[in-house]
């Protein structure tokens, strides 16, 4: 059944010639042809079968504008740069940088603002590059069309090719095989016209179109795509020919309605939700830290606003300054690698994280799970017994239909029947000769070949095949004989098979032409059952996605039996017992509340007879249930669901508006490509999550230790300049997280950045880090018990500076969770960065820069005692990490 449009146009009919007293319909509306006959529509458009007068066409073109889709304007690069500041992490850093400048902490302010600039630069550049790639994929819907016009009111009409942009409402056009429908039209005349409108409805089979010469009350409540007299821009002619009048052009077409800005609005994605949760957690900590530092120092040490720079430095120390840079770099590297190796374009960088977090993937059946190429499943007689003769007669009809009908393109069902007959060697010795053919007609719904059989002089055999009901109507059967055959066909259709009925009759040979009137009194031969061929890689890809924790939901406009059969052939199971899921139809969806639909969608796998609105509602219900959803679609009918999903995915050959709406563009419509994209997303998300866990826990431990030390010591535990240098060193080392290889466990399940999970992790490991820092106090007190005054402060600063960088280096290496021992021991940028960080921590106080930063050399005893503390800390970290992994 055809599906309803997601953005149905509405409005009044254009009343006539563009005179001042009779306005045309406004742009964004279309002529309501769903209930109008051909004559009514022509009158409402002040047109006729001979077409428009050139002068009137020019006036309408000036009034309506060109027949083009709404212009796509890329976002300028400077605007992208400024828009990047809306990222919560970047906004927090920007505020901290400004606060640092206010308290005259110019070094801190410059570093933070530089990091903000680098992050915005990276993100805006990558997204601008992705937009340029997708802009190169834009295709014109059509270039020229054959239009019927007159030079004057009395002149004869003539056909000529005009640019599609010059077409106007009221123009009469010719349609032929292979033509793209250039606007929304109503059919005036048709000869076997069938149209492929899958870009709009998702329907895989061509749809018959014919004129409506009298009002049909039965069509009043049907959707626009179920109207046999209407064709829409974005469709293509598969067979036959026709004449049509244009009812809507440009922005008034249903195809262009998808550009409506309201359709583009979507809720926050999984990345947005994760970022907001973690950001608010950090913001609370940072807003709390400076006042606590100021109040504690004022109450216990009598210090005033002179400790404000230190308080700001502590807040900065809690902040993962490199987060925007790490996130953008990790996502940009993943996007670049996908584009280079798999031809996958990530248009919106956070969408790569969303891919890694996807746990439910919604898609259509046609072209993804199946090839949209039928094959013969069985050929049976009226008793449902195998009969090769049925296939043989069907193949003979298909063979001579293809040879004599001069069709523009072979019918897919005929090709499938011929392939099956050749495989069974049923046509090899055939001596039948074709005499005539009555091609398939969408009104008759049958095709007939007239054959001359060997040894049967004076006899012609008519072989008719087509829709079951249409063939049975032409057979010499009474009601009692017809009903069992219809029931048999219904059972096979429910099992997901497509059926061709075959009948034949012998007639006396004649020289005159054959007509549909001869298709009467036939003898029923049997049924040919066909099924869609599963895509070669679909079964393996579904199995891989299932192992990765991604559940696939099939949302299709096809018959429930067809959808269920495709899933059964691919082994798409939903429970441990191995049963196949119950198919949920659109009729049931309409009866459910949002909460009920969320529960049903969580359990069901297949949704059939879905309109665009149903698809979007099901995706939204899954998101409301806490799932991170991806939707794979390629047509205008998929736009609402593409916008509703956390990440919209489409193939490169999708319609223009679908590519613009999608976040990720695949090289081809293939689940294997999605698996590679999911892996790339988890790779990037795993690195980001590792960075966050390690950095936040380390920073929290340092802040706790700093606050404690600040209250215990008569001097500041670290000078603002030392805090800045320490942060710079740690930040430089942390850049290696963007180039790390995540552990195998990070790729086995969806990667979601959950704020509660992070809070538990950073609290536990942060307290452990603070314990190591505080243990260092005892080491420093023991090693520096003879030092006093300024020398003691400088030595303390140096000792804590060294310990902080060494513990952070240990954390970088040991807290890479989800890895085997071999993976943790393996080399890589992270281990090299940790080694460099440790070297700076040990050597910097010994260089001439040490005294400039207020640090002095430490006695050898300190290093021996510090080694013991670090050893115990490493043991504690390892034990805590293993316990954490077991609990996960």
């Amino acid at each position: 059944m055809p599906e309803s449009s997601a953005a149905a146009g509405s409005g009044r009919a254009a009343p006539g010639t563009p005179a001042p007293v009779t306005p045309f319909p406004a742009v964004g509306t279309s002529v309501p042809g769903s209930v109008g006959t051909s004559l009514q529509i022509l009158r409402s458009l002040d047109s006729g079968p001979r077409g428009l007068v050139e002068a009137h066409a020019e006036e309408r073109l000036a009034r309506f504008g060109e027949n083009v889709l709404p212009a796509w304007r890329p976002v300028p690069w400077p605007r992208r740069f400024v828009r990047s500041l809306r990222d919560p992490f970047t906004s927090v850093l920007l505020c901290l940088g400004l606060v640092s400048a206010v308290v005259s902490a110019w070094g801190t302010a410059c570093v933070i603002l530089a990091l903000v600039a680098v992050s915005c630069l990276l993100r805006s550049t990558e997204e601008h590059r992705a937009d340029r790639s997708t802009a190169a994929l834009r295709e014109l819907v059509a270039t020229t069309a054959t239009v019927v016009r007159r030079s004057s009111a009395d002149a004869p009409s003539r056909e000529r090719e005009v640019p599609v942009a010059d077409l106007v409402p009221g123009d009469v056009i010719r349609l032929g095989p292979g033509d793209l429908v250039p606007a929304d039209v109503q059919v005036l005349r048709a000869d076997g016209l069938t149209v492929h409108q899958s870009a709009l409805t998702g329907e895989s089979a061509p749809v018959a179109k014919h004129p409506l010469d009298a009002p049909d009350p039965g069509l009043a409540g049907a959707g626009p795509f179920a109207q046999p007299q209407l064709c829409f821009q974005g469709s293509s002619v598969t067979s036959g020919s026709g004449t049509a009048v244009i009812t809507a052009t440009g922005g008034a077409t249903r195809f262009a309605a998808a550009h409506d800005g309201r359709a583009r609005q979507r809720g926050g994605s999984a990345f947005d939700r994760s970022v907001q949760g973690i950001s608010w957690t950090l913001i609370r900590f940072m807003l709390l830290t400076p006042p606590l530092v100021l109040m504690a120092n004022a109450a216990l040490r009598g210090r005033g606003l002179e400790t404000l720079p230190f308080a700001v430095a502590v807040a900065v120390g809690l902040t993962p300054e490199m987060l925007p840079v790490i996130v953008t770099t990790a996502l940009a590297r993943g996007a670049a690698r996908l584009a280079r190796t798999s031809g996958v374009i990530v248009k919106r960088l956070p969408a790569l994280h969303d891919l890694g977090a996807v746990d439910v993937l919604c898609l259509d059946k046609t072209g993804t799970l199946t090839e949209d190429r039928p094959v013969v499943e069985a050929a049976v007689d009226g008793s449902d017994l195998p009969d090769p003769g049925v296939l043989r007669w069907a193949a003979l009809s298909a063979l001579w239909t293809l040879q004599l009908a001069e069709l523009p393109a072979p019918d897919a069902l005929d090709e499938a029947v011929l392939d099956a007959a050749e495989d069974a060697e049923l046509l090899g010795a055939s001596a039948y000769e074709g005499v005539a053919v009555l091609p398939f007609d969408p009104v008759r719904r049958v095709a007939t070949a007239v054959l001359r059989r060997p040894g049967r002089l004076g006899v012609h055999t008519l072989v008719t095949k087509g829709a079951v009901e249409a063939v049975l109507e032409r057979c010499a059967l009474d009601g009692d004989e017809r009903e069992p055959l219809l029931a048999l066909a219904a059972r096979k259709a429910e099992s997901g098979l497509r059926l061709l009925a075959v009948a034949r009759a012998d007639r006396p040979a004649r020289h005159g032409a054959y007509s549909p009137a001869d298709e009467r009194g036939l003898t029923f031969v049997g049924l040919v059952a066909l099924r869609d061929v599963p895509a070669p890689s679909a079964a393996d890809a579904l199995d891989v996605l299932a192992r990765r924790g991604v559940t696939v939901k099939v949302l299709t406009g096809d018959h429930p039996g067809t959808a269920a059969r495709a899933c059964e052939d691919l082994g798409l199971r939903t429970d441990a017992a191995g049963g196949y899921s119950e198919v949920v139809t659109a009729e049931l969806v309409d009866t459910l509340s949002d909460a009920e639909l969320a529960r049903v969608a969580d359990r069901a796998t297949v949704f059939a007879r879905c309109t665009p609105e149903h698809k979007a509602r099901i995706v939204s219900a899954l998101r409301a249930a806490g799932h991170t959803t991806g939707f794979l679609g390629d047509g205008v009918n998929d736009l609402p669901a593409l916008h509703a999903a956390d990440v919209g995915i489409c193939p490169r050959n999708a319609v223009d508006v679908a590519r613009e709406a999608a976040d990720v563009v695949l090289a081809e419509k293939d689940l294997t490509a999605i698996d590679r994209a999911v892996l790339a997303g988890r790779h990037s998300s795993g690195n980001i999550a590792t960075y966050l866990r390690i950095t936040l826990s380390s920073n929290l431990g340092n802040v706790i230790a700093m606050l404690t030390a600040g209250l215990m010591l008569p001097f500041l535990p670290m000078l603002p300049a030392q805090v800045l240098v320490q942060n710079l060193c740690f930040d430089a080392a942390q850049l290696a997280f963007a180039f790390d290889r995540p552990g195998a466990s990070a790729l086995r399940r969806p990667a979601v950045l959950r704020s509660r999970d992070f809070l538990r992790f950073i609290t536990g490991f942060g307290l452990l880090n603070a314990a190591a820092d505080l243990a260092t106090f005892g080491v420093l007190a023991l090693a520096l018990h003879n030092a006093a005054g300024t020398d003691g402060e400088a030595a303390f600063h140096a000792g804590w500076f060294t310990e902080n960088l060494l513990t952070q280096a240990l954390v970088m290496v040991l807290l890479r969770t989800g890895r085997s021992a071999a993976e943790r021991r393996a080399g890589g940028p992270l281990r090299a960065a940790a080694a460099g960080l440790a070297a700076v921590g040990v050597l910097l106080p010994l260089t001439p820069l040490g005294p400039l930063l207020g640090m002095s050399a430490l006695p050898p005893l300190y290093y021996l005692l510090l080694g013991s503390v670090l050893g115990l800390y490493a043991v504690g970290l390892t034990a805590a990490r293993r316990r954490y992994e077991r609990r996960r």
Side-chain angles (χ1 to χ4, degrees):
M1 291 283 291
E3 300 172 343
S4 300
S5 171
S10 61
R12 60 185 184 278
T17 307
V21 294
T22 25
F24 283 103
V27 174
T29 64
S30 61
V31 175
S34 58
V35 294
T37 64
S38 301
L39 182 60
Q40 290 170 337
I41 292 300
L42 286 172
R43 285 178 175 173
S44 68
L45 292 167
D46 194 23
S47 183
R50 295 192 301 156
L52 294 175
V53 176
E54 290 286 358
H56 291 170
E58 291 177 4
E59 292 175 9
R60 297 189 184 193
L61 182 63
R63 193 171 189 109
F64 282 116
E66 292 187 333
N67 177 35
V68 294
L69 292 176
W72 175 81
R73 296 181 178 86
V75 180
W77 186 88
R79 185 178 173 187
R80 285 191 183 278
F81 184 88
V82 174
R83 200 166 63 182
S84 299
L85 294 172
R86 295 186 302 181
D87 175 77
F89 288 135
T90 306
S91 301
V92 169
L93 275 183
L94 182 61
C95 292
L96 282 174
L98 296 176
V99 170
S100 299
V102 168
V103 299
S104 300
W106 299 110
T108 302
C110 290
V111 170
I112 292 177
L113 294 177
L115 291 174
V116 168
V118 169
S119 172
C120 293
L121 181 65
L122 287 172
R123 175 167 294 188
S124 56
T125 300
E126 282 299 322
E127 292 187 355
H128 182 68
R129 185 181 302 166
D131 266 4
R132 288 174 56 190
S133 299
T134 51
L137 298 176
R138 288 176 58 84
E139 301 167 347
L140 294 174
V141 173
T143 53
T144 62
T146 303
V147 67
V148 178
R149 284 183 181 170
R150 297 169 288 161
S151 58
S152 65
D154 298 327
S157 60
R158 62 188 182 91
E159 298 181 5
R160 65 187 184 92
E161 292 288 319
V162 300
V164 163
D166 293 343
L167 296 177
V168 296
D171 262 330
V172 175
I173 61 172
R174 308 290 192 203
L175 297 173
D179 286 350
L180 295 173
V181 180
D184 288 357
V185 303
Q186 175 149 338
V187 177
L188 304 176
R189 182 191 62 79
D191 183 9
L193 181 65
T194 61
V195 172
H196 206 290
Q197 54 187 28
S198 61
L200 297 162
T201 67
E203 228 177 350
S204 58
V207 179
K209 297 293 182 180
H210 56 83
L212 186 67
D213 296 323
D216 186 351
L219 295 175
F225 297 108
Q227 305 292 332
Q229 77 277 20
L230 299 182
C231 300
F232 301 94
Q233 185 181 43
S235 305
S236 60
V237 178
T238 53
S239 64
S241 60
T243 301
V245 59
I246 294 177
T247 59
T249 60
T253 63
R254 296 181 185 274
F255 191 90
H259 287 266
D260 186 357
R262 290 171 296 179
R264 295 172 178 265
Q265 297 175 358
R266 87 175 348 149
S269 67
F271 182 78
D272 298 328
R273 295 192 298 270
S274 300
V275 165
Q276 288 173 3
I278 297 172
S279 294
W280 280 110
T281 301
L282 291 177
I283 289 170
R284 292 187 188 101
F285 273 112
M286 286 183 294
L287 291 177
L288 211 62
T289 300
L292 284 177
V293 173
L294 291 174
M295 288 189 295
N297 278 277
L300 300 178
R301 294 294 177 182
R303 300 171 185 148
L305 289 178
E306 66 269 15
T307 60
L308 183 58
F310 174 72
V312 172
V314 170
V316 171
L318 181 64
T319 309
E321 300 101 320
M322 290 294 289
L323 182 57
V325 178
I326 296 292
V327 168
T328 306
T329 303
L331 295 177
R333 288 187 73 247
R337 185 167 55 249
L338 268 178
R340 184 176 62 253
T341 60
S342 305
V344 176
I345 299 172
V346 180
K347 296 170 53 182
R348 184 177 59 87
L349 281 184
L352 188 59
H353 163 271
D354 294 340
L355 274 173
V358 162
D359 61 344
V360 174
L361 176 64
C362 300
L363 46 82
D364 197 353
K365 171 184 68 67
T366 305
T368 306
L369 301 181
T370 65
E371 290 187 336
D372 197 20
R373 178 175 64 86
V375 295
V376 173
E377 173 80 1
V380 298
D381 61 15
S383 300
D384 200 17
L385 297 175
D387 185 352
V390 176
L391 179 60
R392 184 167 178 267
W393 284 115
L396 288 170
S397 175
L399 175 66
W400 289 108
T401 298
L402 290 174
Q403 292 193 19
L404 298 180
E406 298 182 357
L407 299 174
D411 181 78
L413 297 181
D414 282 347
E415 287 190 320
V417 168
L418 286 172
D419 288 343
E422 290 176 1
D423 291 343
E425 299 182 354
L426 296 177
L427 293 176
S430 175
Y432 292 84
E433 180 183 352
V435 175
V437 66
L438 299 174
F440 178 84
D441 185 296
V443 177
R444 291 165 41 243
R445 298 191 298 160
V446 297
T448 298
V450 183
L451 310 177
R452 184 180 293 113
R453 299 167 65 184
R456 299 291 302 273
L457 296 176
V459 176
H460 286 170
T461 299
L462 279 67
V463 184
T464 299
K465 70 178 189 322
V468 175
E469 296 84 354
V471 171
L472 291 179
E473 286 175 0
R474 291 164 171 78
C475 291
L477 300 170
D478 58 29
D480 292 339
E481 294 172 315
R482 185 178 290 110
E483 288 304 320
L485 296 176
L486 289 172
L488 172 62
R491 288 196 303 271
K492 289 189 174 295
E494 287 296 328
S495 67
L497 297 173
R498 300 164 69 177
L499 298 174
L500 285 176
V502 183
R504 67 182 182 89
D506 289 336
R507 300 278 192 270
R510 71 185 190 207
H511 296 291
Y514 284 86
S515 71
D518 296 305
E519 299 170 331
R520 290 289 182 271
L522 306 177
T523 300
F524 180 76
V525 176
L527 299 172
V528 177
L530 303 100
R531 61 178 174 83
D532 288 335
V533 180
S537 61
D540 291 339
L542 286 172
D543 185 55
V544 170
L545 287 171
R547 291 201 304 269
R548 300 198 195 285
V550 178
T551 302
V552 173
K553 308 280 186 183
V554 179
L555 280 55
T556 179
D558 281 343
H559 187 283
T562 304
R565 179 59 180 265
C567 294
E568 180 178 341
D569 290 342
L570 291 167
L572 190 56
R573 304 172 184 268
T574 59
D575 56 33
Y580 299 109
S581 64
E582 179 183 354
V583 177
V584 177
T585 62
E587 290 79 7
L588 176 60
V589 172
D590 289 334
T591 65
L592 301 175
S593 65
D594 290 343
E596 292 170 335
L597 179 58
R599 290 192 294 271
V600 170
D602 199 38
R603 296 192 305 268
T605 297
V606 183
F607 297 83
R609 300 296 195 196
C610 290
T611 66
E613 292 82 2
H614 288 123
K615 294 180 181 180
R617 190 173 170 223
I618 292 166
V619 171
S620 298
L622 289 166
R623 288 186 67 188
H627 294 287
T628 302
T629 59
F631 183 85
L632 173 62
D634 58 1
V636 176
N637 63 309
D638 294 319
L639 283 175
L642 286 170
H643 287 296
D646 286 290
V647 54
I649 311 167
C650 78
R652 189 185 300 251
N653 60 356
V655 297
D656 241 9
V657 288
R659 285 200 304 270
E660 291 177 21
D663 302 305
V664 177
V665 180
L666 306 177
E668 54 190 6
K669 196 174 182 181
D670 182 11
L671 288 181
T672 304
I674 294 182
D675 176 58
R676 291 194 294 268
V678 167
L679 277 182
R682 293 185 183 180
H683 190 291
S684 299
S685 298
N687 286 344
I688 295 169
T690 301
Y691 163 79
L692 276 171
R693 289 192 182 98
I694 291 175
T695 302
L696 292 177
S697 60
S698 178
N699 287 359
L700 179 62
N702 288 340
V703 167
I704 293 173
M706 248 187 227
L707 292 175
T708 305
L711 299 177
M712 294 172 58
L713 298 174
F715 53 86
L716 291 177
M718 290 190 76
L719 300 177
Q722 294 165 356
V723 175
L724 176 61
V725 172
Q726 175 183 285
N727 289 341
L728 283 175
C729 294
F730 197 22
D731 290 343
Q734 287 170 329
L735 190 59
F737 283 108
F739 302 89
D740 192 25
R741 292 185 299 275
S745 65
L747 304 179
R748 284 198 294 264
R749 56 180 179 268
V752 182
L753 306 177
R754 295 186 175 92
S755 56
R756 289 186 178 180
D757 178 55
F758 279 105
L759 189 58
R760 286 194 298 267
F761 185 97
I762 65 176
T763 301
F765 286 94
L767 292 174
L768 186 60
N769 182 274
D773 287 346
L774 294 175
T776 307
F777 287 169
V779 170
L780 288 169
L782 185 60
L784 304 176
H785 65 280
N786 292 325
T790 305
D791 292 338
E793 291 182 18
F796 183 92
H797 292 156
W800 205 5
F801 179 89
T802 299
E803 185 269 346
N804 276 339
L805 292 190
L806 289 176
T807 54
Q808 288 173 341
L810 271 177
V811 166
M812 288 177 64
V813 174
L814 295 180
L815 281 193
R816 295 167 69 204
T817 56
R819 288 167 171 77
S820 64
E823 287 176 321
R824 281 191 292 270
R825 288 194 299 269
L830 202 61
R831 292 178 65 86
L837 186 64
V840 171
V842 173
L843 299 177
L844 185 61
L846 306 178
T847 65
L849 287 176
L852 294 177
L853 293 173
M855 295 184 288
S856 63
L858 292 161
L861 177 61
Y862 169 74
Y863 294 104
L864 291 175
L865 296 174
L866 180 60
S868 302
V869 172
L870 293 177
L872 292 173
Y873 180 50
V875 171
L877 273 180
T878 304
R881 189 201 68 241
R882 289 176 179 170
R883 182 171 180 269
Y884 172 78
E885 290 176 351
R886 283 196 302 269
R887 292 182 62 182
R888 292 186 71 189

